[in-house]
Amino acid sequence: MNFSSKLIEEGVNAFSSLPGIGKKTALRLVLHLLKQEKDITESFAEALLKMRSNIKHCKTCHNLSDSETCEICLDLRRDKEVICVVESIRDIMAIEETGQYRGKYHVLGGVINPLEGISPADLQIGSLLQRVDADQVKEIIMAISPTIEGDTTIFYISKQLKNRSVKISTIARGISFGGELEYADELTLGRSIVARVPYRKGSE
Amino acid sequence: MNFSSKLIEEGVNAFSSLPGIGKKTALRLVLHLLKQEKDITESFAEALLKMRSNIKHCKTCHNLSDSETCEICLDLRRDKEVICVVESIRDIMAIEETGQYRGKYHVLGGVINPLEGISPADLQIGSLLQRVDADQVKEIIMAISPTIEGDTTIFYISKQLKNRSVKISTIARGISFGGELEYADELTLGRSIVARVPYRKGSE
């Protein structure tokens, strides 16, 4: 594209360096900011700079946090004997949205993926084992994506924990609520038949 | 969404204030920036701040420009006796992309739209009339959207110019190249039949 302005070109390049934003969308965003008052752009830039320089990783669960320890880890009402292990902080947000979980979390920071060069040493597995010992954790819930890499990671962690008396569970997999059987993929449908559960009135 | 972090929430709100970016996309962008080094966010914010505070409007054609007069107005090789009137600078970029036009431009900054409270006084029509007189302009090409508001604007400007010996033309409207007749809307197809042109070999 011919922007006829170096400044606009730089702004467009800045936005289009973000994931999922192409040159056309970037130009739309740039023109939007240019139409607004200057202080809109200033407060936009300030919010991002403040966020990037002040954000911390919780030293216990590695969640993103405003302080040394995140709000969830500080919350005494939450059960610290149950830890939900997730890949990223986005998963914490998704689980918190449900309002169904009152334990703590542990963010691995990814899954074991030899093709992308992510080994167990790159993940927060060591600190998980320490927490299991320090807090007398009774249950670990693996809320990891059902992929080959996810399953490998669950298997690796369960092997590390085999000498400890901690119960390991994974989140239930099967057909989504509201999902139609005919559109479910074969693997999910097949496994959901193999892993069928006894029918209880009112459990649906 | 429950971000469990004030800083992340502010970052997400900043991004989601931009047009076409919702909370989920904003969160993805925020997490992307948090994964990168700090200086990525700093140079991103800096590019936007620099752009917003240094950008100017060309005092002749009202195009966005790095200096008082834009590159197109400064270009002596371009024919200053032909002015293409457009709504926004995005249209200039689109026309420049084609490489088919070697005249100057004039950005109105919108079209007359009583419903949104945009009257002729809000548009750069006065300065267009001044340019017509000052530069002995021979032709004005109206490259305005084919909407009711666009047509109203063209009609208004043509009325203002009726005492001056300037030719007024509009860009050709009809079926797109590569467009299929059966998918064209009825208005476009109907008008393209009424406004049919004599066939010349090699004109397609």
Side-chain angles (χ1 to χ4, degrees):
Chain A
M1 257 189 275
N2 175 5
F3 298 110
S4 80
S5 157
K6 198 86 197 135
L7 290 167
I8 293 184
E9 197 175 341
E10 280 167 16
V12 168
N13 288 341
F15 271 118
S16 61
S17 71
L18 297 174
I21 295 190
K23 293 265 175 199
K24 285 217 166 179
T25 308
L27 179 61
R28 192 158 47 84
L29 299 176
V30 159
L31 294 180
H32 169 81
L33 287 179
L34 289 175
K35 248 192 226 166
Q36 313 278 315
E37 291 300 315
K38 267 186 199 176
D39 54 351
I40 300 276
T41 306
E42 278 159 17
S43 58
F44 175 79
E46 214 170 273
L48 295 184
L49 288 172
K50 197 177 132 201
M51 176 190 78
R52 188 61 191 88
S53 57
N54 295 337
I55 202 94
K56 293 178 185 68
H57 282 270
C58 171
K59 64 177 191 238
T60 307
C61 73
H62 313 291
N63 187 9
L64 288 170
S65 167
D66 296 356
S67 49
E68 288 286 302
T69 305
C70 77
E71 281 179 25
I72 295 174
C73 286
L74 285 175
D75 191 342
L76 294 174
R77 290 166 303 174
R78 296 186 81 120
D79 185 359
K80 69 174 182 170
E81 293 179 341
V82 181
I83 293 179
C84 180
V85 177
V86 296
E87 280 176 58
S88 81
I89 76 140
R90 226 183 306 187
D91 302 326
I92 295 188
M93 289 179 194
I95 294 172
E96 284 297 288
E97 281 292 279
T98 69
Q100 295 288 322
Y101 181 65
R102 298 301 299 161
K104 307 268 172 162
Y105 291 95
H106 191 89
V107 181
L108 291 180
V111 284
I112 298 170
N113 192 337
L115 286 177
E116 291 184 11
I118 303 173
S119 74
D122 298 319
L123 306 176
Q124 301 290 354
I125 294 177
S127 59
L128 175 63
L129 303 180
Q130 281 170 22
R131 283 180 76 185
V132 169
D133 293 337
D135 292 342
Q136 280 106 45
V137 172
K138 292 210 179 92
E139 184 177 0
I140 286 193
I141 302 170
M142 299 287 188
I144 309 276
S145 302
T147 58
I148 293 176
E149 291 80 15
D151 286 343
T152 307
T153 310
I154 295 176
F155 179 70
Y156 179 87
I157 295 175
S158 66
K159 253 180 64 181
Q160 301 288 311
L161 288 168
K162 73 167 186 278
N163 294 329
R164 290 161 173 99
S165 64
V166 57
K167 187 176 143 197
I168 300 173
S169 54
T170 64
I171 52 170
R173 293 170 189 178
I175 305 296
S176 305
F177 285 90
E180 305 225 9
L181 284 202
E182 61 175 313
Y183 298 120
D185 64 292
E186 290 159 27
L187 189 64
T188 304
L189 189 53
R191 286 208 188 168
S192 78
I193 290 171
V194 172
R196 64 195 176 276
V197 290
Y199 177 72
R200 283 176 298 152
K201 251 182 171 173
S203 71
E204 295 285 290
Chain B
M1 257 188 274
N2 173 7
F3 298 110
S4 81
S5 158
K6 199 85 198 135
L7 292 167
I8 293 185
E9 195 174 344
E10 281 168 16
V12 167
N13 289 341
F15 271 118
S16 62
S17 70
L18 298 174
I21 294 191
K23 292 267 175 197
K24 286 218 168 183
T25 308
L27 179 62
R28 191 157 49 83
L29 300 177
V30 159
L31 294 180
H32 169 82
L33 286 179
L34 289 176
K35 248 193 230 168
Q36 313 277 315
E37 291 299 316
K38 267 185 197 175
D39 55 350
I40 300 278
T41 306
E42 279 160 16
S43 57
F44 175 80
E46 213 170 273
L48 295 184
L49 288 172
K50 197 178 134 201
M51 176 190 77
R52 188 62 192 85
S53 57
N54 294 337
I55 203 93
K56 293 177 183 69
H57 283 270
C58 171
K59 62 177 196 245
T60 309
C61 72
H62 314 291
N63 186 8
L64 288 171
S65 167
D66 296 354
S67 49
E68 287 287 301
T69 305
C70 76
E71 280 179 25
I72 294 172
C73 287
L74 285 174
D75 191 343
L76 295 173
R77 290 166 304 173
R78 296 186 81 119
D79 186 358
K80 68 174 184 173
E81 295 178 339
V82 181
I83 293 180
C84 179
V85 177
V86 293
E87 281 176 57
S88 81
I89 76 139
R90 227 183 307 188
D91 302 327
I92 295 188
M93 288 181 196
I95 295 171
E96 285 297 286
E97 280 292 280
T98 68
Q100 296 288 322
Y101 180 66
R102 297 301 300 162
K104 307 267 175 165
Y105 291 96
H106 191 88
V107 181
L108 292 179
V111 285
I112 298 170
N113 191 338
L115 286 178
E116 291 184 12
I118 303 173
S119 75
D122 298 317
L123 305 177
Q124 300 291 354
I125 295 177
S127 60
L128 175 63
L129 303 178
Q130 281 170 22
R131 282 180 77 186
V132 169
D133 295 337
D135 292 342
Q136 282 104 48
V137 172
K138 293 209 179 96
E139 182 176 1
I140 285 191
I141 303 170
M142 299 286 189
I144 309 274
S145 302
T147 58
I148 294 174
E149 291 82 15
D151 286 343
T152 308
T153 310
I154 294 175
F155 179 71
Y156 179 88
I157 295 175
S158 67
K159 253 180 65 183
Q160 300 291 310
L161 288 167
K162 72 169 188 277
N163 294 327
R164 291 162 173 98
S165 66
V166 57
K167 186 176 144 198
I168 300 173
S169 54
T170 65
I171 51 170
R173 293 171 190 177
I175 306 295
S176 305
F177 284 91
E180 303 226 11
L181 285 202
E182 61 173 315
Y183 298 119
D185 64 292
E186 290 160 27
L187 189 66
T188 304
L189 189 54
R191 287 207 187 167
S192 78
I193 290 171
V194 172
R196 64 194 175 277
V197 291
Y199 179 72
R200 283 176 299 151
K201 250 182 174 175
S203 70
E204 295 284 292

